[in-house]
Amino acid sequence: MSAAPALHISSAFDAGNIEVVDATDPAAVRLRIRDDAGGEHRQWFHFRVSGLRGQRVVLHIENAEQCSYPGGWFDYRACASSDRQHWRRVETAYEKGALIITLDGATTATTDTLWLAYFAPYSHERHLDLVARCQQSPLARVSVLGPTVDGRDLECVHVGETGPVLWIIARQHPGESMAEWWMEGFLGRLLDPADALGRALRSQARLHIVPSMNPDGAVRGHLRCNAAGANLNREWHAPTAARSPEVKWVRDAMDATGVDLCLDVHGDEALPHNFIAGAEGIPGWSPRLAALQERFLAAYVDACPDFQTAQGYPVDAPGAADMSMCTNQVAQRFDCLAMTLEMPFKDNADAPDPVEGWSPARCQGLGRAALFPLVQVLASLR
């Protein structure tokens, strides 16, 4: 019998991120996560391991403790795929500052190659396909708001011609790929001519939807930053064309259309729940905005058992909001309901899936369910 081939580890592809320190011993492979541009953040990983058939391979990501959110590694399991279409969770531990991913003989018995990722990736090619499907629909228009730092197009999908103005944006933080999986579900239902909720929302509101705010960071394999090293969700108070053009183009477009509701879709590294963070800490927070938010939350709970309101971030004290963040800046700027939706990198602790954890399919389901709470608050937005 011939000797097992040497392991080969690579990340030179869309959203790839890993540095190989030493891969000579399959039982003790040493890896490091590469920094985002700017050097402030790191945590997203996405790489390919080849030559592993039948071997037990143990991968040590040595700088896990130095990542942006080391608390996110507890009770976390990495995502693995042999076809880049279907992702499952594999044995993962966080020990002595390292993230340790174990691929046992059963996992590698019938495959030569596995892709490993922090969460199921949403590729730029899939993003372009999503935008193309939207523009093929007679119910939508697609425009380019402007160029990103790397010169990619920042696309916006426009739906509806009358009623309150809704802005739905996703993936300011590129490593939060669950946000664009959510978008795929949301847009699919919104543009389904046979769907009653989609029809109601299209006929009663004007929607402006940015499926991916940070395509440069996504392609580069970043966790939080764009190509200039800017964390886009800390740029909304003073975006510039040089550092954060993605935010500038969207905020300028918001100024032109006005905003009655804004939903900003994200993922959270540590909390195993789906939840909303609001704008309670802005100077302009009011009983009207509080009532609208409560109505939205209650309707989302009714629409999808994967959404809950018991767990989430601490609420900002009055006047203590960070005005550089999208939700706070937009809520104050337009006196409107603005919210941040967070999804887990891990699993939904309220309804765990031992095989896939929180998955693309469940993200899509949560996106489809979002039409119901949006319809429920439309009449009360102004």
Side-chain angles (χ1 to χ4, degrees), residues 181-253:
W181 288 110
W182 183 99
M183 270 291 184
E184 190 169 290
F186 176 79
L187 283 164
R189 187 175 189 185
L190 178 65
L191 298 179
D192 181 352
D195 188 273
L197 275 175
R199 185 167 59 250
L201 194 53
R202 294 192 307 269
S203 65
Q204 298 174 38
R206 290 168 287 169
L207 295 98
H208 306 282
I209 303 154
V210 184
S212 178
M213 286 284 295
N214 198 339
D216 293 351
V219 171
R220 286 168 170 249
H222 290 176
L223 174 73
R224 287 178 76 82
C225 296
N226 71 354
N231 176 350
L232 296 185
N233 204 28
R234 299 299 185 273
E235 296 282 319
W236 284 78
H237 60 306
T240 67
R243 175 174 169 79
S244 49
E246 301 89 351
V247 174
K248 177 173 171 50
W249 308 145
V250 172
R251 205 187 74 170
D252 286 353

Side-chain angles (χ1 to χ4, degrees), residues 98-114:
L99 190 73
I100 303 171
I101 303 170
T102 300
L103 307 176
D104 59 22
T107 302
T108 66
T110 60
T111 185
D112 295 311
T113 297
L114 280 177

Side-chain angles (χ1 to χ4, degrees), residues 54-302:
Q55 299 191 72
R56 183 177 185 273
V57 177
V58 183
L59 307 157
H60 298 251
I61 298 180
E62 296 182 333
N63 64 340
E65 189 175 34
Q66 287 79 52
C67 286
S68 298
Y69 302 98
W73 299 131
F74 293 100
D75 299 321
Y76 166 79
R77 291 181 297 149
C79 298
S81 176
S82 58
D83 62 4
R84 301 196 303 156
Q85 301 298 317
H86 304 95
W87 294 82
R88 65 188 187 278
R89 303 291 176 144
V90 292
E91 180 183 343
T92 309
Y94 181 51
E95 299 176 359
K96 298 180 180 179
L99 190 73
I100 303 171
I101 303 170
T102 300
L103 307 176
D104 59 22
T107 302
T108 66
T110 60
T111 185
D112 295 311
T113 297
L114 280 177
W115 282 261
L116 284 299
Y118 189 22
F119 193 80
Y122 197 98
S123 71
H124 191 62
E125 193 69 21
R126 191 175 186 115
H127 162 80
L128 294 176
D129 287 343
L130 175 62
V131 173
R133 287 199 302 276
C134 292
Q135 78 162 13
Q136 291 301 309
S137 170
L139 304 171
R141 294 178 297 108
V142 175
S143 70
V144 174
L145 300 181
T148 66
V149 173
D150 280 343
R152 292 184 175 86
D153 294 329
L154 188 69
E155 301 102 342
C156 185
V157 180
H158 309 274
V159 178
E161 297 182 357
T162 186
V165 177
L166 281 54
W167 277 85
I168 318 290
I169 68 172
R171 213 171 177 186
Q172 289 200 75
H173 296 148
E176 296 165 14
S177 55
M178 62 284 293
E180 199 158 5
W181 288 110
W182 183 99
M183 270 291 184
E184 190 169 290
F186 176 79
L187 283 164
R189 187 175 189 185
L190 178 65
L191 298 179
D192 181 352
D195 188 273
L197 275 175
R199 185 167 59 250
L201 194 53
R202 294 192 307 269
S203 65
Q204 298 174 38
R206 290 168 287 169
L207 295 98
H208 306 282
I209 303 154
V210 184
S212 178
M213 286 284 295
N214 198 339
D216 293 351
V219 171
R220 286 168 170 249
H222 290 176
L223 174 73
R224 287 178 76 82
C225 296
N226 71 354
N231 176 350
L232 296 185
N233 204 28
R234 299 299 185 273
E235 296 282 319
W236 284 78
H237 60 306
T240 67
R243 175 174 169 79
S244 49
E246 301 89 351
V247 174
K248 177 173 171 50
W249 308 145
V250 172
R251 205 187 74 170
D252 286 353
M254 288 178 168
D255 286 342
T257 65
V259 184
D260 295 308
L261 180 147
C262 177
L263 184 61
D264 181 17
V265 186
H266 285 257
D268 183 86
E269 290 80 4
L271 294 179
H273 304 281
N274 295 294
F275 61 94
I276 286 286
E280 291 90 342
I282 65 170
W285 186 251
S286 65
R288 179 183 74 86
L289 295 180
L292 281 170
Q293 183 167 292
E294 285 303 311
R295 183 177 302 177
F296 182 92
L297 294 177
Y300 214 166
V301 168
D302 289 343

